[in-house]
Amino acid sequence: MTLLALGINHKTAAIDVREQVAFTPSQLETALVELKRLPEVLEAAVLSTCNRTELYCITGAAGERAILDWLGRFHDLPIEQLTQCAYHYLDEAAARHLMRVASGLDSMVLGEPQILGQIKDAYQQARTHQGLGGELERLFQHTFAVAKQVRTETGIGENPVSVAYAAVSLASRIFDDFSRSRALLIGAGETVELVARHLRESGIRELIVANRTRERAERLAGEFAGEAITLSEIPEALARADIVIASTASPLPILGKGMVEGALKVRRHRPIFMVDIAVPRDIEPQVGELADVFLYTVDDLQEVIEENRRHRQVAANQAEALIAQGVGHWQHERRVRGAGDLIRRYREQGEALRDAAEAQAMAQLARGEDPEKVIRRLTQQLTNKLLHGPTLRLREASGLERHDIIEAGETLLLDSTMPQDNNREQEA
């Protein structure tokens, strides 16, 4: 079986493609159920954020193509379009990729802390909907341990920086004094909470939080002494806002060009700075065509992000070394488990041969045959059956010059001639 990581992210696809491939929370259960139904898939987990959609699967032969075809069908996208921007990793490389993602090394903002929580959510979703088996369960647990080690032993998490921070940082370059500005935040999730925190720390004059449910908006707005509204009240609030930052899970845009045009008329064309962090987008791209609007998406935050990346590169190098160790430990444990399965099959095969030989010998004794002859025949037949397979494989290996198999046979032969500890043998 093969560990496969397949996906697209901010490095391989533009936002218009990423938003088409993203899974909404309501789609995740269906996606996991459908993935597990594929004959090539034994285990599956889905990670979907604003910057990446990734599938982690334990697959058989031809698994990658089957999963890519399924992804195209699920989102009604041509397979050719997905193939152009999709990446895949197998086994060791897949484990390394997941650990790098969990540690923030593959994020748009190097070292951002939110992704680990998002991976934990994906893991929990997969567990809830029976997507996980032993292989992915162990991989995720190992990944969480490595990510924790990276956070505690390197400076990658110092002065946490995220896409939310980058958005506020970009706004600060346009507004000299936040104390005279009013911000409208659309959404009430973790990203918007981080935006609110950064804005409040930067001295924002007033915060307005808009959400589908007023209760969640009030909970977040109350934490930052802000005003809570529902999505239906956005048009009036938009006319008062200098800064608009949106991050919801809505499958359709919340702000359209007409709504923003109406707000600009009320504002007498005083400009509005907007950042759309959501994928799919919350603000129609056509809004950016308006003369008094400065609209940015997550892809436009690259300058701020690159500055952050330079500051954290030393810590990132240290993190890469820890991840290399983590991958090595994961591989070792996987090989040990693999050997355990092989040993179990060998023992089962040996015990089956023994049981058959024993039954035959007992039947011969019951018929009154000479016990000494029965025992000799038993040991000879059992020896021949046990050695037939290995002998045949060693001869084939010699003919093919497979010196690795011959050397392994030599090692096994030497070990089998050493004195045995009966107690240890019984425990094995």
Side-chain angles (χ1 to χ4, degrees):
M1 291 294 103
T2 300
L3 168 64
L4 168 69
L6 185 149
I8 69 168
N9 64 16
H10 58 283
K11 299 176 183 177
T12 66
I15 189 171
D16 60 333
V17 177
R18 299 203 306 273
E19 64 186 0
Q20 292 181 74
V21 181
F23 291 90
T24 64
S26 61
Q27 290 176 321
L28 281 175
E29 179 178 357
T30 302
L32 284 165
V33 171
E34 288 188 11
L35 259 179
K36 280 295 298 298
R37 284 178 182 165
L38 295 178
E40 299 84 358
V41 176
L42 298 180
E43 304 178 36
V46 177
L47 172 64
S48 188
T49 74
C50 60
N51 282 327
R52 71 181 67 246
T53 293
E54 294 182 339
L55 310 175
Y56 292 89
C57 302
I58 301 298
T59 72
E64 179 185 348
R65 181 66 191 193
I67 293 168
L68 197 61
D69 287 342
W70 169 84
L71 186 62
R73 291 195 304 273
F74 192 95
H75 291 293
D76 195 23
L77 288 172
I79 190 66
E80 296 77 14
Q81 183 179 3
L82 283 176
T83 303
Q84 290 175 0
C85 56
Y87 49 82
H88 74 276
Y89 301 98
L90 302 177
D91 293 326
E92 174 190 353
R96 177 179 288 105
H97 177 72
L98 178 58
M99 292 178 199
R100 294 188 77 254
V101 172
S103 301
L105 297 185
D106 196 61
S107 297
M108 180 178 283
V109 178
L110 181 65
E112 65 93 2
Q114 286 178 273
I115 186 62
L116 180 57
Q118 292 166 330
I119 291 176
K120 288 182 177 180
D121 289 342
Y123 160 77
Q124 194 57 53
Q125 282 273 359
R127 285 196 70 186
T128 300
H129 302 297
Q130 289 77 50
L132 299 185
E135 282 290 325
L136 283 186
E137 175 73 37
R138 285 185 287 264
L139 173 64
F140 276 102
Q141 292 297 337
H142 198 90
T143 295
F144 297 148
V146 170
K148 180 180 180 181
Q149 185 182 16
V150 168
R151 290 286 169 188
T152 56
E153 296 184 18
T154 75
I156 199 76
E158 293 178 2
N159 302 314
V161 178
S162 63
V163 170
Y165 173 88
V168 174
S169 178
L170 185 59
S172 69
R173 299 181 183 186
I174 296 175
F175 295 89
D176 294 332
D177 186 2
F178 274 177
S179 65
R180 294 182 294 178
S181 302
R182 183 183 288 110
L184 168 62
L185 308 183
I186 303 175
E190 185 178 355
T191 299
V192 170
E193 182 179 351
L194 285 171
V195 169
R197 195 176 307 281
H198 290 310
L199 284 171
R200 181 58 69 194
E201 291 172 354
S202 300
I204 196 75
R205 170 188 167 194
E206 184 180 342
L207 281 174
I208 305 170
V209 179
N211 193 58
R212 182 174 57 83
T213 58
R214 184 180 292 274
E215 286 182 351
R216 288 197 66 182
E218 288 176 344
R219 193 157 53 244
L220 181 57
E223 186 177 346
F224 300 98
E227 175 187 351
I229 64 173
T230 62
L231 297 184
S232 63
E233 299 172 89
I234 285 179
E236 186 277 331
L238 193 58
R240 297 185 281 137
D242 306 298
I243 300 168
V244 177
I245 300 178
S247 178
T248 77
S250 173
L252 298 173
I254 292 173
L255 295 187
K257 186 176 181 181
M259 184 189 298
V260 178
E261 282 179 321
L264 288 172
K265 289 179 182 178
V266 176
R267 291 174 60 83
R268 297 184 180 181
H269 294 280
R270 283 183 292 118
I272 305 177
F273 170 81
M274 295 184 172
V275 181
D276 189 351
I277 303 176
V279 177
R281 282 172 281 194
D282 285 334
I283 304 174
E284 286 183 349
Q286 292 79 8
V287 170
E289 300 170 1
L290 298 173
D292 299 304
V293 172
F294 300 91
L295 175 61
Y296 298 85
T297 69
V298 289
D299 288 354
D300 298 316
L301 303 178
Q302 198 60 41
E303 181 182 346
V304 177
I305 289 162
E306 283 304 317
E307 182 178 338
N308 163 259
R309 187 178 297 276
R310 288 192 294 272
H311 291 159
R312 295 197 172 188
Q313 195 56 54
V314 172
N317 293 340
Q318 296 170 341
E320 293 283 12
L322 291 175
I323 288 170
Q325 293 178 12
V327 172
H329 292 156
W330 174 80
Q331 284 181 294
H332 174 73
E333 292 176 4
R334 201 181 192 205
R335 285 194 295 265
V336 169
R337 288 194 303 274
D341 291 340
L342 179 61
I343 291 169
R344 176 182 53 77
R345 294 202 306 273
Y346 267 122
R347 294 187 70 92
E348 288 175 352
Q349 184 184 55
E351 287 168 1
L353 292 173
R354 180 200 63 194
D355 291 344
E358 180 181 295
Q360 183 179 8
M362 294 297 289
Q364 291 169 351
L365 290 173
R367 291 195 298 267
E369 295 188 26
D370 185 350
E372 185 176 342
K373 290 181 179 180
V374 170
I375 292 174
R376 286 179 180 172
R377 189 183 306 122
L378 167 67
T379 55
Q380 184 178 12
Q381 290 177 346
L382 191 55
T383 300
N384 288 339
K385 289 180 179 179
L386 288 172
L387 294 181
H388 175 71
T391 301
L392 183 61
R393 300 295 177 269
L394 285 171
R395 284 175 177 165
E396 291 175 350
S398 179
L400 295 172
E401 296 186 352
R402 288 292 306 274
H403 302 298
D404 55 334
I405 296 179
I406 301 299
E407 289 174 4
E410 289 279 4
T411 301
L412 292 173
L413 178 62
L414 287 172
D415 288 346
S416 68
T417 60
M418 295 174 64
Q420 299 294 318
D421 183 329
N422 290 332
N423 292 330
R424 288 175 55 192
E425 185 179 0
Q426 290 172 2
E427 290 171 0

